Amino acid sequence: MTRLRVPRPAALATAAATALLLLGPVPLAAAAPTELPLTSRLLPIPAGALHSFTKGLNGNGTIVGEYYQDGSTGPLAIRWDVGHPGRPGLPGYARLAPLAGERFSTTTALSDAGWVVGHSYDSASSLHPVRWAPGGTLPSRLALPGGSPGGHAADVNDHGVVVGDVYGADSRPRPQRWQPDGRRIQLPLPPGDGSGTVTSVNNAGTAVGWAERDAAGSPARPVRWNAAGAVSTLPLPAGIVGARTSEITDNGVILGLGRSAGSTEYDHVLVWAADGTVRDAGRGRVYDVNRAATAVGASLEGDPNGAPTRWNANGTRTTLANPAEAAGEVLGVNNRGTAVGYAWPPAGNPALDKALLWKPDGTVVPLPAGPLGPYGAAFSVNDAGLIAGFAVGTDATGAPNTWRATVWKR
């Protein structure tokens, strides 16, 4: 299963959120001699919509995300069927409705089989986890325990198993799994821990996340639940006192961020190989990992802004080329070793980024501009080479004023 869940980098999220308020509410296969160049295409949105973002891409060319209507104060979920490279025509879309009586919906994850999960809500303080069936547009409510004000659906596998958390009266999360039939299972915590969350589940039903003790400031413990729901803690490298995991692949590679002794920051890139061994790859921000245990993100070793980086399965680190820009991040990597991301400018508005692709040999390729201009970011790439992200449009003064979900395809 190719599940690419795209975490928005802080700089992009802040710039986009501010602008919306102001506006009013895995190596690529060897190229054949006749391979077509990549082109940029805006994904269609409903009439009256202004902005859109991608949040997930699967191996079949389905993309999920959100769009914003003019004058609205919240998003609505949307699904696009883009297809494989070389498929002619523009994609269609389907609006993914919120629960009856609620106004907003968001997406958080997409499986290769087409299951989508996310949230429905009226108020951001009371999120209701939901699941949309493959090809469906109406959500199924994921059950909450009595008295819970809300919860999160973080991931879904090809069987429709959903993982995440729910909040109790004490506002602390408890790890949950929802079965394909909708049955909710509260997953156990390691002894001594009082709260926790699940962040990722693979097709075998193995899930990962973290747990925390009640004491303020206690480091999180990385945990794994097997398909039967039994919990175990993951080993930590020397000098690391806690960690939060973010992803598990179908062959059992786990990605996370660790906290070193004496620090309060989770800023050490940790990768657990399928055999259970763990490596500390150094300080950085990490966003994705493939089945070969290659991780990508931005290294903070010697660069406080972050240098686009690939952490290789053999333990080495590769700083990737970043042409004429101040800093950058790699946000996605496919199972063939192709990576995508963006770079931000050395001066001026941090929202005016450039979308980049790195070949398996490290060669950087600026992604072509689209109808909105040269600015944008690439979030994810599937094994067929389809890339998803967004483009940024600007006004007459050069300030960003439009964000649109975008694909780069052949």
Side-chain angles (χ1 to χ4, degrees):
M1 175 178 64
T2 302
R3 272 183 300 98
L4 292 175
R5 294 172 296 105
V6 183
R8 299 268 315 275
L12 294 179
T14 300
T18 301
L20 290 175
L21 289 173
L22 292 174
L23 288 168
V26 302
L28 254 185
T34 58
E35 185 177 56
L36 297 173
L38 284 165
T39 59
S40 173
R41 306 183 188 185
L42 299 179
L43 293 172
I45 50 178
L50 290 177
H51 311 287
S52 55
F53 301 92
T54 62
K55 300 293 287 293
L57 162 68
N58 72 13
N60 297 317
T62 299
I63 297 172
V64 294
E66 289 128 31
Y67 68 96
Y68 289 78
Q69 291 280 6
D70 188 10
S72 174
T73 59
L76 287 166
I78 190 169
R79 181 181 62 230
W80 295 276
D81 179 18
V82 180
H84 295 285
R87 180 179 294 177
L90 291 172
Y93 67 84
R95 289 175 279 196
L96 303 181
L99 293 167
E102 297 188 334
R103 294 178 295 165
F104 307 125
S105 54
T106 65
T107 60
T108 55
L110 164 71
S111 80
D112 272 349
W115 293 98
V116 182
V117 292
H119 307 111
S120 172
Y121 65 98
D122 269 329
S123 166
S125 62
S126 183
L127 298 178
H128 300 135
V130 294
R131 175 177 56 198
W132 290 273
T137 59
L138 298 178
S140 297
R141 183 190 295 267
L142 297 173
L144 300 173
S148 171
H152 297 96
D155 199 13
V156 61
N157 70 13
D158 283 350
H159 309 294
V161 174
V162 182
V163 295
D165 59 51
V166 299
Y167 284 84
D170 60 0
S171 297
R172 301 193 69 189
R174 269 71 179 184
Q176 306 289 312
R177 181 173 68 205
W178 290 270
Q179 299 293 83
D181 63 3
R183 181 166 53 97
R184 181 183 62 84
I185 299 172
Q186 181 159 316
L187 294 172
L189 292 165
D193 291 321
S195 64
T197 188
V198 195
T199 56
S200 182
V201 62
N202 65 16
N203 280 330
T206 304
V208 295
W210 70 82
E212 294 180 302
R213 298 183 183 275
D214 292 331
S218 295
R221 291 205 284 175
V223 294
R224 175 173 51 201
W225 292 269
N226 66 18
V231 65
S232 60
T233 57
L234 294 169
L236 293 171
I240 301 297
V241 297
R244 296 170 175 169
T245 63
S246 59
E247 185 172 352
I248 182 170
T249 68
D250 276 342
N251 65 334
V253 174
I254 300 170
L255 183 65
L257 284 170
R259 172 176 157 182
S260 60
S263 173
T264 59
E265 300 295 326
Y266 291 87
D267 59 0
H268 279 252
V269 176
L270 304 183
V271 181
W272 289 264
D275 64 6
T277 58
V278 60
R279 75 180 194 269
D280 178 357
R283 293 183 60 246
R285 300 184 293 267
V286 67
Y287 297 112
D288 199 14
V289 67
N290 65 16
R291 288 195 299 259
T294 299
V296 294
S299 174
L300 297 175
E301 301 284 354
D303 188 339
N305 292 318
T309 298
R310 182 180 67 217
W311 292 277
N312 306 303
N314 63 5
T316 62
R317 181 177 76 238
T318 302
T319 300
L320 297 170
N322 185 9
E325 302 290 347
E329 297 182 305
V330 191
L331 301 183
V333 61
N334 66 17
N335 290 313
R336 299 171 178 264
T338 297
V340 297
Y342 73 107
W344 62 78
N349 195 307
L352 301 181
D353 307 299
K354 298 291 184 63
L356 300 174
L357 174 148
W358 291 271
K359 296 181 179 180
D361 65 3
T363 303
V364 63
V365 179
L367 291 173
L372 294 186
Y375 305 117
F379 279 7
S380 51
V381 57
N382 68 13
D383 288 351
L386 181 69
I387 301 165
F390 67 72
V392 181
T394 57
D395 63 18
T397 70
N401 66 354
T402 308
W403 286 261
R404 285 287 303 273
T406 298
V407 294
W408 290 267
K409 62 181 296 186
R410 300 188 190 282

